[in-house]
Amino acid sequence: MFGKIRLSVLGLTVGGILTIIGFVAYATDNATLNLAGFFYGIPLLLGGLALKASELEPVPFSQVTTPEILKLRETQATVTQNKIRKDITRYCYGQEAHLDQAFKYLQLSFSEDEMPIATGLRETETNNAYTLTVEFDSPFVPLAAWQAKQEKMTKYFGPDVEIKITETSENQIELALIRVLE
């Protein structure tokens, strides 16, 4: 529900307005508004600042999804493919990177500084099957490490998903989750 709304900006805006109202009420000797402005405004403002500091931007689509692919998504996409798409295309708070828990489980990253960063997302069709491809900037995790975890990824992102890993250029990895059709 709140994925497309920046909670940090909402907190900063509402908190800032209430805090200003509190200061103005203090200057005009209006105790009721002063109290509301300080007791609600300052905590909302601080909460907005904290959210802003831990905000993770949505990953953009690297190409436009065609109506044909949208139909494929509606009929073929797995629960995991939909969760990944929805998760990385919304604002997140308190995470190190998109899919950080998956990377830790798959042991593709041992620290947040070495974690692959999702830079793009696209939906395509591979042999009449819905395919979700996530593009990563991966300077600290080489292609060989990704390929060594391919079987574990298939189990993690499965069932009914085939994993294809390709290196498009130096330090650029594409992880394709291809729907396996019966």
Side-chain angles (χ1 to χ4, degrees):
M1 177 179 161
F2 293 108
K4 302 292 180 190
I5 298 172
R6 296 177 77 167
L7 295 178
S8 59
V9 172
L10 182 64
L12 287 170
T13 304
V14 174
I17 290 169
L18 288 175
T19 302
I20 290 170
I21 289 172
F23 278 115
V24 170
Y26 179 77
T28 59
D29 206 27
N30 186 336
T32 306
L33 276 179
N34 174 15
L35 195 63
F38 286 135
F39 279 135
Y40 296 115
I42 292 174
L44 275 172
L45 184 65
L46 292 175
L49 286 171
L51 286 173
K52 185 67 178 166
S54 69
E55 185 174 79
L56 191 57
E57 297 271 334
V59 175
F61 281 89
S62 58
Q63 72 182 36
V64 177
T65 305
T66 64
E68 294 81 18
I69 300 299
L70 288 175
K71 288 179 186 174
L72 270 181
R73 181 204 306 162
E74 290 173 11
T75 59
Q76 294 183 8
T78 66
V79 173
T80 304
Q81 286 172 321
N82 282 328
K83 281 183 181 180
I84 290 171
R85 180 181 43 81
K86 289 176 183 176
D87 179 54
I88 68 176
T89 57
R90 66 179 174 87
Y91 287 95
C92 297
Y93 300 93
Q95 291 180 309
E96 298 168 10
H98 289 289
L99 302 175
D100 59 349
Q101 295 301 316
F103 291 136
K104 287 177 185 174
Y105 174 80
L106 296 167
Q107 298 173 336
L108 277 172
S109 173
F110 297 105
S111 72
E112 69 180 76
D113 295 333
E114 298 176 355
M115 196 166 293
I117 304 297
T119 57
L121 171 77
R122 69 178 184 276
E123 298 173 292
T124 57
E125 176 238 332
T126 306
N127 298 326
N128 297 321
Y130 173 75
T131 303
L132 179 69
T133 304
V134 185
E135 303 158 3
F136 292 98
D137 181 24
S138 183
F140 301 107
V141 183
L143 178 62
W146 284 83
Q147 289 172 334
K149 301 293 182 180
Q150 187 165 356
E151 185 178 328
K152 194 171 185 179
M153 283 186 212
T154 302
K155 291 177 184 174
Y156 183 79
F157 293 119
D160 301 326
V161 171
E162 176 188 338
I163 301 295
K164 182 179 178 191
I165 301 165
T166 53
E167 185 173 41
T168 55
S169 63
E170 188 177 348
N171 301 329
Q172 300 297 311
I173 302 289
E174 286 188 350
L175 176 67
L177 288 85
I178 305 165
R179 172 73 154 111
V180 176
L181 300 173
E182 287 90 36

